[in-house]
């Protein structure tokens, strides 16, 4: 049996040399110069293997002996990688001592995942593995605004993400029915059942150990029903005087101030470099009534735009101006802004700042900008394909086991350069491999929260995560078909459980 892992490695050279054989007293030994930096990873791997660390009197000399595992931080020679790829690359070399080498702790961590999976699948550990990701961002989104997922559930998700070398966890923290995270500046908007900052701190600490970046999302100006339930005066009014109870009035300084309060507070609590501001489904979709699609549907927003940027201006200009102000606010906090692509129209009025990452989930119809149009306009693309990558808790159906929205579909029908062609159609848009794509994220949407328990969600997303991991790591597939891949996944299993993180929850 050869090397079998999920995702598959980029390159394995089986040179025929003797395999590495762990001895009963196998130790995990950080190189002496890296001992302080790698102590936590070494200790974690030792627990997962049932191995030992060097004794205190020899630990700093890091003298290895046959059967040991050595961890080294050093550059990898002979590879032509981008900086992002190099940051997560590693080399695993078998011999009397098994040596895992990487330029960064993240790369070393991924090397340890490969080793654990290799041992679990039963193959002899021999030769040299050289491995790296094709795509820098490989992630999962969880809709915790509409459905409560316990901290323990999120912790286990992160462990399995690390096991599969997935590195971005996007938390959709609010929607029309709720706000799922503590907020001291506006506690009135927070759902009764929510994640506390104590929960979040424990989740973030675990995520850091597994090299998972956690990305918060505060979704406005639409999907604001939970906010407007407590601040109805901040709702937008259309040209007929109809109040829209799920959309903020961006022309109101109080509405913009509330958003800034929450964004700044949450940005302070998340150490990662990204912050998602939502921005989707504010203007009408093409299938909505023609009056909803009127370009001056929100005249107050047009007047606000004219006051900010001069006449003539449209409601879309006011929306983009709002997004650009949020971008400036987030940049002042050292964050890079992300936005759903719905209302990004290059060349139409005020331009969205080019340093905003555009997460492409939808193309409403052929008249709307495609992923290629957004790339040509200078935006960084993240693939969020709403046909292939949406796992949806619905009131009238359950996620499929085959076809476009299924684990099998992700493995056989989708790849990170495949974006939505147009909503409602089967056609995909495949970008040329030369077009840079930052990565891809699958989304767990809770349109009907009672449809599944959190344990049912965990069980049903497990095969999706495995398929996604293979596709976004971008290595040659070991299994040509999904049934063969599923058999391989069964041998690999889930991440080892060593110590459960106990999170004490204060009363909500």
């Amino acid at each position: 049996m050869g090397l079998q892992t999920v995702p598959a490695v980029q390159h394995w050279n089986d040179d025929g040399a003797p395999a590495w054989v762990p001895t009963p007293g196998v130790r995990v030994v950080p190189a002496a110069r890296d001992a302080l930096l790698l102590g936590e990873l070494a200790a974690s791997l030792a627990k997962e293997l049932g191995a030992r660390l060097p004794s205190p009197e020899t630990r700093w000399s890091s003298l290895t002996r046959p059967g040991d595992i050595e961890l080294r931080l050093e550059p990898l020679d002979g590879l032509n990688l981008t900086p992002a790829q190099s940051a997560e690359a590693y080399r695993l070399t078998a011999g009397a001592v098994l040596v895992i080498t990487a330029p960064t702790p993240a790369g070393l961590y991924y090397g340890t995942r490969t080793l654990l999976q290799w041992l679990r699948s039963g193959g002899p550990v021999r030769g040299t593995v050289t491995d790296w990701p094709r795509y820098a961002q490989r992630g999962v989104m969880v809709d915790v605004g509409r459905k409560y997922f316990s901290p323990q559930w999120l912790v286990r998700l992160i462990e399995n993400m690390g096991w599969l070398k997935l590195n971005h966890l996007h938390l959709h923290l609010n929607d029309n029915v709720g706000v799922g995270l503590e907020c001291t500046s506006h506690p009135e908007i927070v759902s009764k059942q929510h994640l506390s900052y104590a929960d979040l701190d424990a989740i973030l600490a675990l995520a850091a150990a597994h090299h998972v970046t956690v990305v918060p999302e505060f979704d406005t100006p639409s999907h604001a029903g939970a906010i407007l339930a407590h601040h109805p005066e901040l709702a937008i009014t259309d040209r007929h005087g109809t109040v829209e109870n799920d959309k903020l009035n961006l022309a109101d300084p109080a509405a913009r101030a509330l958003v800034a309060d929450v964004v700044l507070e949450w940005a302070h609590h998340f150490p990662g470099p990204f912050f998602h501001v939502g921005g989707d489904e504010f203007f009408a979709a093409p299938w909505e009534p023609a009056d909803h699609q009127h370009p001056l549907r929100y005249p107050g927003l047009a007047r606000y735009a004219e006051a900010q940027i001069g006449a003539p201006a449209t409601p879309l200009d006011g929306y983009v101006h709002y997004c650009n102000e949020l971008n400036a606010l987030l940049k002042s906090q050292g964050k890079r802004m992300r936005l759903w692509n719905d209302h990004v129209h290059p060349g139409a009025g005020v331009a969205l700042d080019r340093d905003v990452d555009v997460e492409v989930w939808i193309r409403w119809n052929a008249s709307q900008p495609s992923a290629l149009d957004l790339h040509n306009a200078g935006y960084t693309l993240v693939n969020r394909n709403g046909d292939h990558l949406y796992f949806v808790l619905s009131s009238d159906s359950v996620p499929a086991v085959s076809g476009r929205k299924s684990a099998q579909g992700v493995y056989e029908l989708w790849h990170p350069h495949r974006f939505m062609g147009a909503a409602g159609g089967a056609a995909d848009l495949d970008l040329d491999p030369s077009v840079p794509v930052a990565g891809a994220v699958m989304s767990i949407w809770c349109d009907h929260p009672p449809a599944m328990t959190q344990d049912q969600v965990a069980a049903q997303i497990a095969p999706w995560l495995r398929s996604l991991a293979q596709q976004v790591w971008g290595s040659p597939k070991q299994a040509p078909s999904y049934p063969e891949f599923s058999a391989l996944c069964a041998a690999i299993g889930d991440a080892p459980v060593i110590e459960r993180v106990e999170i004490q929850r204060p009363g909500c």
Side-chain angles (χ1 to χ4, degrees), residues 42-103:
S44 176
L45 180 61
K47 288 180 181 179
E48 291 166 323
L49 285 169
R52 299 186 296 117
L53 296 171
S55 60
E57 61 271 17
T58 63
R59 185 170 301 173
W60 306 116
S61 62
S62 300
L63 296 175
T64 57
R65 59 198 186 203
D68 281 350
I69 300 166
E70 184 177 11
L71 306 179
R72 296 180 184 171
L73 278 175
E74 56 187 49
L76 301 181
D77 56 3
L79 300 178
N80 183 24
L81 303 179
T82 67
Q85 290 171 332
S86 182
E88 296 181 299
Y90 66 92
R91 181 171 286 139
L92 188 155
T93 306
V97 174
L98 187 139
V99 181
I100 305 177
T101 306

Side-chain angles (χ1 to χ4, degrees), residues 20-43:
W20 170 74
V21 179
T23 62
V26 60
R27 301 178 307 162
V28 180
V29 183
R33 65 180 181 277
D34 306 320
L36 287 174
L37 187 59
L38 301 180
E40 183 177 347
L41 176 60

Side-chain angles (χ1 to χ4, degrees), residues 47-356:
K47 288 180 181 179
E48 291 166 323
L49 285 169
R52 299 186 296 117
L53 296 171
S55 60
E57 61 271 17
T58 63
R59 185 170 301 173
W60 306 116
S61 62
S62 300
L63 296 175
T64 57
R65 59 198 186 203
D68 281 350
I69 300 166
E70 184 177 11
L71 306 179
R72 296 180 184 171
L73 278 175
E74 56 187 49
L76 301 181
D77 56 3
L79 300 178
N80 183 24
L81 303 179
T82 67
Q85 290 171 332
S86 182
E88 296 181 299
Y90 66 92
R91 181 171 286 139
L92 188 155
T93 306
V97 174
L98 187 139
V99 181
I100 305 177
T101 306
T104 69
L108 282 176
Y109 169 77
Y110 292 140
T112 68
R113 302 307 90 184
T114 292
L115 173 61
L116 290 169
Q117 291 189 17
W118 200 346
L119 292 171
R120 186 177 285 184
S121 66
V125 180
R126 62 175 184 251
T128 301
V129 170
T130 306
D131 199 17
W132 62 90
R134 180 177 178 189
Y135 298 94
Q137 297 174 31
R138 310 175 300 279
V140 180
M141 189 213 80
V142 183
D143 179 1
V144 300
R146 286 184 286 188
K147 183 178 179 66
Y148 176 77
F149 290 87
S150 71
Q152 291 80 7
W153 190 94
L154 292 167
V155 159
R156 186 57 182 159
L157 172 64
I158 290 167
E159 290 172 341
N160 280 313
M161 288 177 65
W163 183 242
L164 299 170
K165 303 183 176 76
L166 298 170
N167 65 357
H168 273 62
L169 174 59
H170 170 186
L171 296 179
H172 180 77
L173 293 168
N174 72 294
D175 214 291
N176 282 328
V177 300
V179 176
L181 178 64
E182 179 178 346
C183 180
T184 56
S185 59
H186 290 280
E188 73 281 0
I189 69 174
V190 178
S191 301
K192 182 176 181 180
Q193 193 173 33
H194 63 273
L195 297 170
S196 69
Y197 284 145
D199 297 333
L200 179 63
D201 288 344
I203 291 166
L204 292 172
L206 192 283
H210 291 275
H211 297 276
V212 172
T213 296
V214 184
V215 181
E217 178 188 356
F218 186 49
D219 191 3
T220 66
S222 194
H223 299 285
I227 300 167
L228 293 172
H230 301 277
H231 296 280
E233 74 282 2
L234 302 183
I236 200 166
T237 301
D238 72 8
R239 65 196 186 102
H240 302 298
T242 302
V243 176
E244 308 223 1
N245 292 316
D246 64 343
K247 297 177 182 178
L248 288 173
N249 179 12
L250 303 183
D252 189 333
R256 300 195 304 275
L258 184 150
V259 173
D261 288 343
V262 178
V263 166
L264 284 173
E265 180 176 335
W266 284 357
H268 173 74
H269 281 275
F270 287 83
F274 303 107
F275 196 107
H276 204 300
V277 300
D280 58 313
E281 299 180 330
F282 183 69
F283 297 105
W287 54 79
E288 294 186 43
D291 187 65
H292 287 190
Q293 298 181 51
H294 193 287
L296 294 179
R297 182 182 180 186
Y298 303 121
L301 186 52
R303 291 191 295 271
Y304 163 73
E306 290 182 348
Q308 299 300 313
I309 62 176
T314 66
L316 178 61
D317 292 328
Y319 164 90
V320 175
H321 180 76
Y322 165 78
C323 293
N324 286 342
E325 282 194 330
L326 282 180
N327 187 36
L329 180 67
L330 285 164
K331 284 195 291 188
S332 74
Q333 304 301 305
K335 306 292 185 182
R336 185 176 179 94
M337 193 173 98
R338 326 203 97 159
L339 181 79
W340 298 111
N341 72 288
D342 301 44
H343 309 308
V344 183
H345 296 273
V350 175
L352 179 72
D353 293 340
R354 294 304 196 266
D355 56 1
V356 172

